[in-house]
Amino acid sequence: MRFFAAARAAAGNEEETIRIRPGTTLSDLVDQLSARDANLAKVLMRCSFLCDGVAVREANVVLENAQTIDVLPPFAGG
């Protein structure tokens, strides 16, 4: 997983390898991360996610082995 901006600050790191069980969905992974810290949970609720560079629109998508998940909070700017 790669965390950006506010997600990086809340997670306390920029990148992390997380082992998941077969059948784990993006929603399951977000729940697992949210259980770590209330601030991270709050940030994750507003984030969008990329899986190997492709936007994930459904939280029930099943994750595969060795995928890169990017955690993108809302960005401000012009």
Side-chain angles (χ1 to χ4, degrees):
M1 295 196 76
R2 298 186 302 185
F3 300 96
F4 294 88
R8 177 176 46 222
N13 57 46
E14 183 175 311
E15 193 170 302
E16 179 176 352
T17 300
I18 299 175
R19 295 189 186 274
I20 59 172
R21 295 176 188 209
T24 297
T25 65
L26 178 60
S27 179
D28 296 333
L29 182 58
V30 169
D31 289 346
Q32 179 183 339
L33 291 169
S34 294
R36 292 184 184 178
D37 179 83
N39 188 42
L40 179 57
K42 188 184 302 185
V43 171
L44 290 173
M45 288 185 335
R46 298 187 316 263
C47 288
S48 58
F49 301 88
L50 301 179
C51 183
D52 290 336
V54 177
V56 177
R57 302 282 183 225
E58 300 292 329
N60 64 348
V61 66
V62 175
L63 302 174
E64 301 292 329
N65 187 34
Q67 288 181 307
T68 298
I69 307 299
D70 293 322
V71 182
L72 308 170
F75 293 98

